[in-house]
Amino acid sequence: MPYTKESYIKHSKNSRTLDMYVRLCDGKIINKTEESERFGVDERSIQRDIDDIRTFLSERATGNSGDVREVIYDRINKGFKMTGSENSNMTNSEIFAVSKILLESRAFTKKEMNSILSKLVDGCVPLKNMKLVSDLIANEKYHYVELRHKSMIQDKLWEIGEDIKEHKLLEIKYQKASGNKKVIKRIVEPVSIIFSEYYFYLNAYIVEKDEKKRYIHKYDYPAIFRLDRIMDYKEIGETFRVNYASRFEEGEFRKRVQFMYPGKLINLKIKFYGDNPEPVLDRLPTATVIEQTKEYSIIEAEVFGKGIIMWLLSQASKVEVLKPDSLRQEIKQQLLDMLKRY
């Protein structure tokens, strides 16, 4: 196709409009007089380019793309600027909050954390805000302290996550937390991955073969394995069936578990001394207040295992266990053992 004067003018207009659009996206101010001198056209041409950009943004908004940007005239700076943002981009406050949570979690090695934060900022933050967000988290990135295990776990997270989705039985080699760091081997049905208190955990039913050589659950509740302590894992070439009527539900489990300690379901009843039971209700999502006075609240909740003991002890004299009696006696014994150390 011959390169005519008409195609040259069209090409120039398109380039000019795109150039201004990119600079508007970057937070720049577009002044008609300056642009007309820059491109060698009159100000009416620049105004038509601005109108084209406005039409483009208006059509995107009408098309329910989540793009709520528009070009307005800024009288103070005597030029046009873009306001609003695309839904795909996180706001300054969102990216800052997510970055803070990630850094506070200490879930990854320093190398992994720096990589994740860089990708998060580069991929989600509008270009004009990148330096601001980067500067806000720079100090915490520099002083970030990784956990002592220093294990790279991103690949492990993804691969075991796929095994969960595809219902594949796994053989894992797991290093226990005891002083001798003994490594044990288990065959498990992986059902979920949960993050809590600095670590990622695998929830999985330990299985063993019955007399018919079928894999069955060893316990009626899932075991909990800290992901960084899984030294090795492999598929054994078999899958397991999921009974959807009684399937493991991660959200319900999380409501009832404390500090990722497994165990049987406990119906807990406590007396909380204080005029506001909110700290208990926030910590125990299944909790309900069944009686309340100015001095105390009686609260019931469902919890898994003995991790609840750690939380109850952290509340000192604010909490008294009423039921079950076995837990009440165990708390009492813990307090006596603690007293002996002093």
Side-chain angles (χ1 to χ4, degrees):
M1 180 178 175
Y3 198 64
T4 63
K5 180 179 179 181
E6 182 178 327
S7 65
Y8 172 77
I9 293 172
K10 183 177 181 181
H11 174 77
S12 298
K13 173 179 169 52
N14 290 344
S15 298
R16 187 176 68 238
T17 305
L18 284 171
D19 182 272
M20 286 191 285
Y21 173 74
V22 169
R23 284 186 288 131
L24 284 166
C25 289
D26 287 345
K28 301 292 194 307
I29 299 293
I30 299 297
N31 178 278
K32 281 200 297 185
T33 302
E34 292 175 0
E35 297 302 311
S36 66
E37 292 175 359
R38 180 182 181 192
F39 290 108
V41 296
D42 58 35
E43 292 186 16
R44 287 177 298 177
S45 296
I46 299 299
Q47 182 62 57
R48 284 193 289 269
D49 295 337
I50 297 293
D51 291 341
D52 288 343
I53 294 171
R54 282 172 162 169
T55 300
F56 169 72
L57 294 174
S58 177
E59 289 174 351
R60 282 180 60 82
T62 304
N64 198 30
S65 67
D67 193 335
V68 293
R69 297 172 299 167
E70 60 177 336
V71 175
I72 64 170
Y73 185 75
D74 185 336
R75 296 187 180 279
I76 296 175
N77 292 298
K78 298 180 180 179
F80 294 91
K81 69 177 184 181
M82 187 177 290
T83 63
S85 63
E86 292 181 278
N87 248 6
S88 58
N89 285 341
M90 297 176 75
T91 65
N92 288 354
S93 57
E94 287 171 340
I95 195 68
F96 186 53
V98 170
S99 299
K100 283 282 190 178
I101 292 168
L102 272 172
L103 286 162
E104 182 66 24
S105 75
R106 297 176 64 197
F108 302 98
T109 64
K110 191 163 189 173
K111 182 178 179 181
E112 287 176 309
M113 184 63 75
N114 287 338
S115 174
I116 291 169
L117 288 174
S118 294
K119 291 174 182 176
L120 197 60
V121 173
D122 291 346
C124 299
V125 178
L127 186 61
K128 61 185 177 182
N129 298 328
M130 279 186 183
K131 187 176 186 306
L132 172 62
V133 175
S134 296
D135 288 347
L136 285 171
I137 63 175
N139 187 259
E140 282 187 87
K141 279 178 65 179
Y142 179 76
H143 292 288
Y144 179 74
V145 179
E146 61 189 356
L147 297 177
R148 292 185 181 274
H149 65 75
K150 298 186 179 181
S151 298
M152 305 280 279
I153 61 172
Q154 290 185 67
D155 290 342
K156 194 182 294 185
L157 272 172
W158 180 253
E159 289 166 4
I160 294 180
E162 287 186 312
D163 291 324
I164 291 170
K165 183 180 179 182
E166 295 169 10
H167 305 150
K168 292 181 178 179
L169 285 175
L170 294 178
E171 178 186 280
I172 65 171
K173 292 181 180 178
Y174 187 72
Q175 187 179 70
K176 299 185 78 172
S178 55
N180 60 12
K181 296 186 177 180
K182 181 181 178 182
V183 176
I184 59 174
K185 185 165 67 174
R186 295 284 186 267
I187 305 296
V188 299
E189 289 182 5
V191 291
S192 76
I193 292 175
I194 292 177
F195 178 81
S196 178
E197 313 290 344
Y198 304 129
Y199 304 107
F200 286 97
Y201 295 87
L202 170 66
N203 290 73
Y205 289 98
I206 298 173
V207 297
E208 54 187 8
K209 286 186 176 180
D210 63 8
E211 65 277 1
K212 295 182 179 179
K213 303 299 182 182
R214 298 175 303 185
Y215 283 108
I216 60 171
H217 292 176
K218 187 175 182 179
Y219 308 105
D220 59 1
Y221 54 86
I224 299 174
F225 303 94
R226 223 175 79 182
L227 218 63
D228 60 281
R229 291 192 184 141
I230 297 177
M231 311 310 292
D232 192 20
Y233 57 96
K234 65 179 180 180
E235 300 166 7
I236 66 170
E238 295 192 42
T239 59
F240 58 93
R241 297 185 64 180
V242 176
N243 183 343
Y244 284 92
S246 59
R247 70 186 184 279
F248 177 85
E249 294 188 72
E250 181 179 324
E252 292 302 312
F253 179 82
R254 182 181 284 279
K255 288 179 185 177
R256 293 165 172 80
V257 71
Q258 300 296 318
F259 301 109
M260 300 309 293
Y261 274 72
K264 294 183 178 180
L265 197 62
I266 298 170
N267 291 310
L268 178 69
K269 187 175 184 179
I270 62 174
K271 180 183 282 188
F272 177 77
Y273 293 91
D275 58 357
N276 183 8
E278 188 176 283
V280 180
L281 302 180
D282 285 342
R283 184 73 198 193
L284 308 177
T286 62
T288 55
V289 178
I290 60 173
E291 181 184 339
Q292 188 167 12
T293 70
K294 290 182 178 180
E295 289 77 32
Y296 64 84
S297 300
I298 305 296
I299 298 170
E300 291 183 336
E302 281 188 339
V303 293
F304 274 117
K306 296 184 178 181
I308 189 63
I309 294 176
M310 296 174 64
W311 180 79
L312 289 168
L313 290 172
S314 75
Q315 298 304 296
S317 60
K318 287 185 178 180
V319 170
E320 177 189 357
V321 175
L322 303 178
K323 291 183 180 179
D325 187 63
S326 59
L327 183 62
R328 180 181 175 89
Q329 295 305 316
E330 190 164 353
I331 290 283
K332 185 176 180 180
Q333 187 59 52
Q334 289 263 12
L335 293 171
L336 291 171
D337 292 343
M338 288 170 63
L339 188 60
K340 289 177 184 178
R341 296 189 184 277
Y342 293 89

